[in-house]
Amino acid sequence: MRKFLFVTTLFCFVLNYAQQKQVKRAAIGFLNVENLWDTIQSADYINGTLAESNPAFHRSIPIDSIKHLETTEVYKGEWSDELLKGKKVVRNQILSDDFTPKSSKNWGTKFYKQKLANEAKVISELGRKFTNTNPAIVGLIEVENRQVIEDLIKEPALAKDNYQIVHYNSYDARGIDVAIIYQKNRFTLSNSYKREIKAYNDNGSRQYTRDIVVAIGYLDGEQIAVFMNHWPSRSGGEAASQAKRNAAAQTLKAEMDKVAAENPGIKLFAMGDFNDDPVSPSLKKHLGAVENPSDLSESKPYYNLMYRLYKAGVASLAYRDAPNLFDQIIVSRNVYSPEKFTKTYSIFKTEVYAPSYLITTEGQWKGYPLRSWDGDRFTGGYSDHFPAFVVLQKEL
């Protein structure tokens, strides 16, 4: 009898194993790297005689190299690629001299290398417990220039995956940008570009902010588009600054609609720091991101994966002592499936990633993200935001 039970149990185990689905997974996530600056004082150089698609059209250069440039003009107009065509100008960055060895931050090579290692460690863990590998695609927020991204992807935690870069300099007043890195063997890039967000202050003057960076290509053979965002902050108060984020939402929606119309069946992923919660007017009204899959339709095609987490009390940062979920991922309706297993990629898991080492354990900011900076002091921490990711799954 005992032998019979053993054989029966073994048969059931083998049968169950044979019936298990073979799946492929991919993680897409992002991280606010909290002022990832190199140690060299820089400025933006715009060479409007080149094509806008040329990386040298708008690039970051060391301050010391300005004297070696061709003649540049003093420019006092609005900063945009279109208006700068044909011109050669230099644009200074507000934070340019803050992150240098001679500044009050004492920002030298030792701290810079530690910062790179910290951010690479976090990135390498996004979705790993579900995929057993580094994330396929990662958005980056608050990078100074392309060089810091080049340095980041050379870190041991990331180097083996041959990450490639999508980055464009923006006209943000602080000199920070957003970017996308991707594993070359998982994602084939077919097109990339940026979209400017035009936001204005009450006096009608332009407030320069980060662009939306777009990457279109094929993830494991499926066409997708990633829209990386860092919307205008709540500086001056939530209500007073709301119109700027509404403008960002309208720009994002128009671009997502355009990409979807030009590429039938493409799967869209909009992510980043929106400086608003899922219930804010920018996300709910102007982007039209719905809170439940049952609300998806042709007129409401975008689903906010973070709404459920927000309602459950999950936060990605604390702003003015109040918890917020500014870091969000929004997808097109064809990414969602009520079925657990599908033949194409659909949502398996969404998470705000907050392991214990990313959390402040004591003091005034206990429970908050373990940020890199306390005023001018480098803490050795990681970021003032928790990162987020979505894991996609399909049946093989």
Side-chain angles (χ1 to χ4, degrees):
M1 181 68 175
R2 184 174 301 171
K3 182 178 180 180
F4 174 79
L5 288 174
F6 173 78
V7 172
T8 302
T9 302
L10 179 61
F11 174 79
C12 291
F13 173 81
V14 172
L15 181 63
N16 180 63
Y17 180 81
Q19 290 176 337
Q20 285 183 352
K21 303 286 187 180
Q22 295 297 305
V23 300
K24 188 178 188 67
R25 291 175 178 167
I28 299 176
F30 68 94
L31 170 66
N32 186 320
V33 291
E34 193 188 2
N35 290 322
L36 181 55
W37 286 63
D38 61 27
T39 63
I40 302 169
Q41 189 175 2
S42 303
D44 284 346
Y45 176 54
I46 297 93
N47 184 348
T49 66
L50 303 175
E52 291 179 44
S53 58
N54 189 324
F57 178 93
H58 183 176
R59 58 193 174 97
S60 179
I61 61 171
I63 291 288
D64 291 345
S65 68
I66 292 176
K67 60 181 177 288
H68 301 299
L69 295 173
E70 301 174 50
T71 304
T72 58
E73 63 181 274
V74 177
Y75 182 74
K76 296 184 179 180
E78 181 176 318
W79 294 92
S80 74
D81 288 354
E82 181 66 28
L83 295 175
L84 289 170
K85 286 181 179 179
K87 303 179 184 297
K88 294 180 179 180
V89 300
V90 171
R91 185 172 193 262
N92 292 318
Q93 302 166 348
I94 291 176
L95 297 183
S96 179
D97 58 352
D98 282 5
F99 292 88
T100 61
K102 295 181 180 180
S103 72
S104 58
K105 285 182 167 56
N106 190 31
W107 186 239
T109 301
K110 178 182 176 181
F111 288 162
Y112 177 57
K113 287 184 175 180
Q114 183 179 351
K115 174 78 170 168
L116 289 170
N118 286 358
E119 307 309 328
K121 171 180 169 61
V122 179
I123 290 168
S124 72
E125 295 175 358
L126 297 181
R128 175 174 288 276
K129 62 184 176 183
F130 304 105
T131 65
N132 295 317
T133 186
N134 285 355
I137 300 173
V138 182
L140 304 173
I141 300 170
E142 293 193 9
V143 293
E144 180 194 8
N145 51 39
R146 186 183 181 91
Q147 186 58 55
V148 300
I149 311 169
E150 295 278 5
D151 293 342
L152 177 66
I153 62 177
K154 291 175 185 174
E155 284 293 308
L158 303 177
K160 67 181 184 298
D161 284 308
N162 192 22
Y163 280 100
Q164 305 296 297
I165 298 170
V166 176
H167 167 261
Y168 296 91
N169 280 296
S170 73
Y171 295 102
D172 175 77
R174 293 188 294 158
I176 58 172
D177 309 320
V178 299
I180 298 168
I181 60 174
Y182 60 92
Q183 290 189 32
K184 189 176 181 180
N185 66 328
R186 299 289 303 273
F187 181 72
T188 303
L189 182 70
S190 56
N191 190 23
S192 69
Y193 56 90
K194 66 177 185 177
R195 281 290 175 262
E196 287 183 278
I197 295 172
K198 293 192 175 181
Y200 297 88
N201 294 318
D202 291 339
N203 60 8
S205 62
R206 175 92 179 268
Q207 178 183 353
Y208 295 96
T209 188
R210 287 69 54 178
D211 301 320
I212 299 171
V213 170
V214 184
I216 301 173
Y218 292 85
L219 174 63
D220 297 329
E222 295 186 33
Q223 191 179 31
I224 72 166
V226 177
F227 303 78
M228 194 61 212
N229 298 263
H230 186 188
W231 287 2
S233 74
R234 292 187 171 188
S235 177
E238 178 183 355
S241 59
Q242 188 65 61
K244 299 169 189 175
R245 291 184 297 282
N246 293 346
Q250 292 162 6
T251 302
L252 174 60
K253 184 179 187 305
E255 200 56 39
M256 293 176 74
D257 290 348
K258 177 175 178 290
V259 170
E262 293 175 348
N263 302 272
I266 192 171
K267 295 179 176 179
L268 310 183
F269 299 82
M271 59 188 186
D273 175 3
F274 295 96
N275 272 304
D276 265 339
D277 288 313
V279 295
S280 299
S282 58
L283 279 304
K284 288 203 72 176
K285 178 181 178 182
H286 295 276
L287 180 60
V290 303
E291 59 188 76
N292 294 308
S294 59
D295 297 326
L296 288 167
S297 65
E298 286 191 16
S299 61
K300 293 286 187 180
Y302 306 128
Y303 173 35
N304 193 332
L305 300 181
M306 297 308 191
Y307 196 96
R308 177 181 57 84
L309 297 178
Y310 176 77
K311 286 297 186 182
V314 174
S316 60
L317 78 159
Y319 178 78
R320 294 183 176 177
D321 280 345
N324 291 102
L325 185 47
F326 289 172
D327 301 271
Q328 301 166 55
I329 301 174
I330 295 155
V331 300
S332 53
R333 62 174 177 161
N334 57 351
V335 184
Y336 172 77
S337 172
E339 302 295 328
K340 185 175 182 181
F341 298 103
T342 57
K343 293 296 184 181
T344 61
Y345 273 136
S346 60
I347 301 160
F348 171 70
K349 176 73 174 178
T350 307
E351 187 175 309
V352 171
Y353 187 57
S356 59
Y357 75 86
L358 288 183
I359 304 173
T360 304
T361 58
E362 59 185 13
Q364 180 183 2
W365 312 116
K366 183 177 180 180
Y368 289 18
L370 182 57
R371 61 188 306 160
S372 297
W373 294 97
D374 180 7
D376 284 336
R377 183 179 69 87
F378 179 62
T379 67
Y382 298 82
S383 176
D384 53 348
H385 291 243
F386 294 131
F389 65 83
V390 59
V391 175
L392 306 174
Q393 176 176 275
K394 64 179 175 181
E395 182 182 351
L396 293 178

